Structures are given as C-alpha cells and as structure tokens.
Amino acid sequence: MTSTSTTSLDGRVAIVTGAGRGLGRAEALALADRGARVVVNDLGPRTSGAEDPAAEVVAEIRSRGGDALVHHGDVADLAVAGGLLEAAVTTYGGLDALVNNAGIVRDRMIFSMSEQEFDAVIRVHLRGHFCTLRHATAYWRDRAKATGGPVDARVINTASEAFLFGSPGQPNYAAAKGGIAALTLSVAGAMAKHGVRANVICPRARTQMTEGVFDPAVDPDDDPLDADHVATLVAYLASPASARLSGQVFVAYGGFVGLMDAPQLRAEFHAPGGRWDVDALAGALDAHLDETDPRRSFAAVSLMRVGAPS
C-alpha cells in the first residue's frame, strides 16, 4: 500500500497555466498548500493599472506560507512557453509537474461558427498544451539522460466531458479537448521510459469559463461544483503517490472521481469471402440496428447520469 506521506509535494516545482482564476487558481493553491513551489501563469493585465489575477494568486499563496512566482504570457506561443519553463528552472532549479489548464470558449453551433472562433479555441487549448509539453518533455528527457535515471515528473492535462459527450454547441471546444486526450496518451507512451507520468482530467467546475452552463449553487459554502474538489485530484496526480497512473482519463467533481475505460468494440461484421459489397454491408448493419437502440453512439452519454454522493 502506498504511504500517505508520498502525497507530499515538498521540494517539488510545478507550473500551472491559466492559473489566475477559476480551476487554475484552485490548482495552484492546492499544490502550494502541499508544499510545491508554483509558477503561476496567466495573461498579464491588458492595460496599465488593470487587475493582475496571477499576481493576486501568488500573493495569496505567499500569505499562506507558500512560495510562488508570477509568469505572464500566452502559452500557445512556443517561445513564451519556453520562457515559462525557463522561469521555473532559473528560479526554483527544475520542474516536476506541469498542469495545463489555460483555455477559452467561443460557443456556437457548427453551422454558425466562424473560422476565427474555431481556430482561437483550438489554438489556446490544443496548441497551448503542445507548446508547454514540447519544452517540458525535452527538458525531462535531457535530465533523464544526464542523470542516467528516471525523473519522476508529472503532466496533468485538462480535457472535458465535452469531448466524451460531443457537446453540440461546442464543436471547437470538443475537438480541442479530444485532441488533448490523444496528445496525452502519446506523451505518456513517449515519456514513460524517462519517468514521466501523463494523465488527463475532465473537470466539472463552476468557473468564469462555465458561467451560464450550470445552475447557481444552492449552497455556495458546500458547492459540488467548487473548483477545489478538482484541485484535490490534481494535487494527488502531481505527487509521487500517483506513480502507477499514466495515460489515464479522469472525470472529477464534488466528491466524485471517475476513471474512464478505453473505448470498447461494440460489434463485429465480417464479409463473406473477405470483401463487402454495399448491399450486403447495409443488410448486416440493418440487422444489427434492428436489435439495438440506433440512437446509441460513440458518445459517453452514460456519464450524464453519474452523480456525486450527497
């Protein structure tokens, strides 16, 4: 059995992107509370004198006895993402955990979506994950080669149930989140020998980005969609205790954590003689659909019925 002491993050260095508000803020605070030194990334103030959410999070971490550093910049810019890693290494001497959280939404039905709305969401979410991963994985690979042993590092990427459901009003967001899950699987496979564990979270959390998605909290002091619930899972995945987990997809909210299984083969159709013709294939599929619910699809709609215990 894993010792609970291994959930400590003392001495470890973490980056959290999009950490000025919402889920990223909760994650940065949770990591710092468990002993991590945290680089808090977010876009900087747009105008002189405007509020600086990342700096406020750093100040809050320090007020609680932790250590944190502000980093401003767009992580979907490869050079900026490189500077983010450099800030962690220069200030704290290394990097042990990367939490990719930064994101935006531009919700619209597919037939109404503009090219700019699609590209913007793909850029921030999927490209943003790639840019930070490109630098972090190269750093960890080089460090593993230099030391001759694994680095014991963690990647926590943020997808969404939107990709599991195929959210109708979010084709750009669902596509980006599905891409993030696939990207994470690739990273988990490529970096396993170097000691890097990479996992995906699909959070349900009440944040600025999800305003209008969820009904108002019945009790703000006991809200199952409070981002702190998800941050607990992130703190665990960033810790040494999670060493046996990689290439996994989690759904989390409230008191619920779900570990997703891989897609399963539902049915097989084999052509007589080894080659289908269109009519024969149509007949085989029709026979199958006559015995099943044709509304069933690849979407994991069963998750909608999953709830946290009250």
Side-chain angles (χ1 to χ4, degrees), residues 227-308:
D228 288 345
H229 292 295
V230 178
T232 299
L233 172 62
V234 171
Y236 163 71
L237 291 174
S239 77
S242 67
R244 292 184 291 174
L245 289 166
S246 195
Q248 305 295 338
V249 176
F250 292 88
V251 175
Y253 62 98
F256 173 79
V257 172
L259 180 60
M260 297 300 297
D261 206 351
Q264 301 294 310
L265 182 66
R266 190 200 314 176
E268 298 182 49
F269 306 92
H270 297 279
R275 183 184 295 275
W276 286 109
D277 65 52
V278 175
D279 290 335
L281 181 56
L285 285 167
D286 281 343
H288 171 73
L289 293 174
D290 287 343
E291 298 175 358
T292 63
D293 184 350
R295 295 170 298 178
R296 180 181 175 186
S297 76
F298 192 79
V301 293
S302 61
L303 275 172
M304 295 180 182
R305 298 189 292 272
V306 174

Side-chain angles (χ1 to χ4, degrees), residues 12-27:
R12 295 172 78 84
V13 179
I15 286 172
V16 184
T17 70
R21 295 184 175 90
L23 186 58
R25 171 186 172 275
E27 292 166 343

Side-chain angles (χ1 to χ4, degrees), residues 77-209:
D77 182 311
L78 190 61
V80 171
L84 176 57
L85 172 65
E86 184 179 358
V89 174
T90 300
T91 305
Y92 295 129
L95 177 66
D96 303 290
L98 170 63
V99 182
N100 280 311
N101 170 75
I104 61 171
V105 288
R106 299 288 185 271
D107 294 351
R108 205 173 297 276
M109 300 296 283
I110 186 64
F111 43 77
S112 302
M113 182 164 288
S114 71
E115 180 181 9
Q116 292 75 22
E117 288 167 334
F118 186 86
D119 288 349
V121 170
I122 297 294
R123 180 184 182 278
V124 175
H125 288 274
L126 185 53
R127 179 182 166 86
H129 275 61
F130 159 74
C131 288
T132 57
L133 285 165
R134 171 63 182 82
H135 291 289
T137 55
Y139 166 76
W140 285 323
R141 183 195 60 176
D142 291 346
R143 200 173 83 183
K145 288 182 176 180
T147 61
V151 296
D152 191 32
R154 303 288 184 271
V155 171
I156 300 100
N157 287 336
T158 306
S160 167
E161 290 171 289
F163 100 86
L164 294 168
F165 299 154
S167 184
Q170 298 180 303
N172 47 4
Y173 185 71
K177 293 307 191 179
I180 287 168
L183 175 63
T184 308
L185 295 178
S186 179
V187 170
M191 297 301 294
K193 66 181 179 181
H194 301 303
V196 179
R197 305 291 180 260
N199 294 290
V200 183
I201 62 168
C202 297
R204 292 186 203 175
R206 196 183 308 280
T207 68
Q208 187 178 57
M209 203 171 77

